Amino acid sequence: MAERFEMGSRLKGESLVRRSLLRETGEVRQIRIMPDLNVVKIGGHGVIDYGREIVHPLMEEIGELSRDHKILVATGGGARVRHILDVGIDLGMPTGVLAELAGKISEQNATMISLLLSKYNGTRIQTGDLLDLPSLISLGMLPVVQGTPPYGLYEHPPKLGSIPPHRTDTGAFLMAEVVGGKNCILGKNVDGLYAENPFVNPDAEFIAEITADELLEMQLEDMVLEPMAVELLRDAVHIREIKVVNAHVPGNIAKAVNGERVGTVIRA
């Protein structure tokens, strides 16, 4: 048998699963492509679906912020995602197909939000354009991207049920992490994280600050953000906290971008 050809490399002959090797790779400092970038996710269900009264003032706030801060806007899907998931689940669609369908909706919202931000140079980008962010923002653009991460048909099987686990909260977090951003801010329709759904129980306990491990250990029946985003936060290199704020309250996004205390902070 002919000898295997090996390229010169420190990883030559490695299986890439050896635990001691993985620990060694973690010691290499990763670059931060955009350490001053604020990823602001605008929820579909919690914000965009409320229409003009909520969305137009919010676009003004984000647009004005973009004059002094580097911002990437990521969009959620909302009610239309819930509808297509309902139809797809009823028809027996696999989780990967459900993820593919759901991504089309957050794309639609990204198109609309980019147009609403047009006077601030709002620019619709694709998930594959993230490495162009430094150039786009240096040219004065305000990029808007759909929040659904591009797992598509390769979506991971969920631990429970069939709904895709990587949705737009998770996508916003992953985008902030890969470019080494400054903030991952999730704009919702509540003041932050609660121990119970505040729309069901108005007396639900508000949680101003919590670690990812503590939150996951609580095993809440319902939560304002996707559990997958919290799980990934524990292993993140650059993004060490997620901020959850009420985007219906004027000035809240600006406070979060400027480092003021608002909403809930989930720490790694």
Side-chain angles (χ1 to χ4, degrees):
M1 180 182 296
E3 289 189 15
R4 176 186 298 175
F5 174 76
E6 295 280 8
M7 298 179 66
S9 166
R10 288 189 302 123
L11 303 182
K12 181 175 65 175
E14 283 287 356
S15 65
L16 302 184
V17 297
R18 182 166 59 86
R19 295 178 67 86
S20 58
L21 170 70
L22 298 180
R23 280 191 290 270
E24 291 172 14
T25 63
E27 297 171 359
V28 178
R29 185 175 180 179
Q30 297 181 16
I31 66 168
R32 302 189 75 153
I33 299 169
M34 294 202 72
D36 46 0
L37 181 71
N38 299 278
V39 177
V40 179
K41 188 253 177 162
I42 303 302
H45 186 247
V47 181
I48 298 172
D49 286 350
Y50 283 82
R52 174 187 296 263
E53 183 178 352
I54 297 299
V55 174
H56 279 206
L58 181 60
M59 295 302 99
E60 292 290 327
E61 179 178 338
I62 292 174
E64 291 299 325
L65 273 171
S66 72
R67 298 187 189 279
D68 300 310
H69 300 273
K70 296 178 180 179
I71 293 177
L72 169 65
V73 177
T75 56
R80 302 191 311 285
V81 164
R82 284 145 179 81
H83 174 71
I84 196 61
L85 289 177
D86 185 30
V87 173
I89 290 168
D90 182 60
L91 294 175
M93 294 297 106
T95 294
V97 174
L98 296 177
E100 190 83 2
L101 295 170
K104 308 297 184 185
I105 310 300
S106 56
E107 277 193 70
Q108 295 170 5
N109 282 344
T111 297
M112 292 191 290
I113 293 301
S114 67
L115 292 174
L116 291 176
L117 289 168
S118 57
K119 80 173 186 177
Y120 299 101
N121 291 329
T123 303
R124 170 82 168 86
I125 69 169
Q126 307 294 330
T127 50
D129 298 329
L130 291 182
L131 297 184
D132 294 328
L133 284 177
S135 298
L136 291 171
I137 291 180
S138 69
L139 292 171
M141 305 297 183
L142 174 49
V144 181
V145 65
Q146 66 144 322
T148 305
Y151 288 96
L153 300 177
Y154 296 86
E155 173 62 280
H156 299 193
K159 295 178 181 178
L160 183 66
S162 57
I163 293 176
H166 297 89
R167 300 189 303 281
T168 53
D169 290 343
T170 304
F173 168 79
L174 289 171
M175 286 186 274
E177 170 67 12
V178 75
V179 300
K182 177 181 179 182
N183 279 311
C184 178
I185 301 166
L186 306 181
K188 302 287 185 176
N189 62 342
V190 291
D191 290 332
L193 177 68
Y194 288 82
E196 300 175 68
N197 186 334
F199 294 112
V200 176
N201 178 11
D203 297 320
E205 175 192 359
F206 177 72
I207 302 171
E209 184 172 338
I210 193 169
T211 69
D213 281 334
E214 290 169 343
L215 178 53
L216 292 171
E217 287 171 6
M218 291 176 71
Q219 294 188 334
L220 298 179
E221 172 64 20
D222 202 355
M223 202 158 59
V224 71
L225 76 163
E226 296 156 23
M228 183 58 73
V230 182
E231 291 186 24
L232 293 173
L233 175 63
R234 296 181 300 180
D235 300 320
V237 175
H238 302 302
I239 298 296
R240 304 301 293 166
E241 64 183 32
I242 295 173
K243 299 178 180 179
V244 183
V245 305
N246 192 338
H248 291 222
V249 178
N252 269 359
I253 297 294
K255 289 178 181 177
V257 168
N258 287 314
E260 298 179 41
R261 192 58 184 270
V262 61
T264 293
V265 175
I266 304 169
R267 301 191 188 282

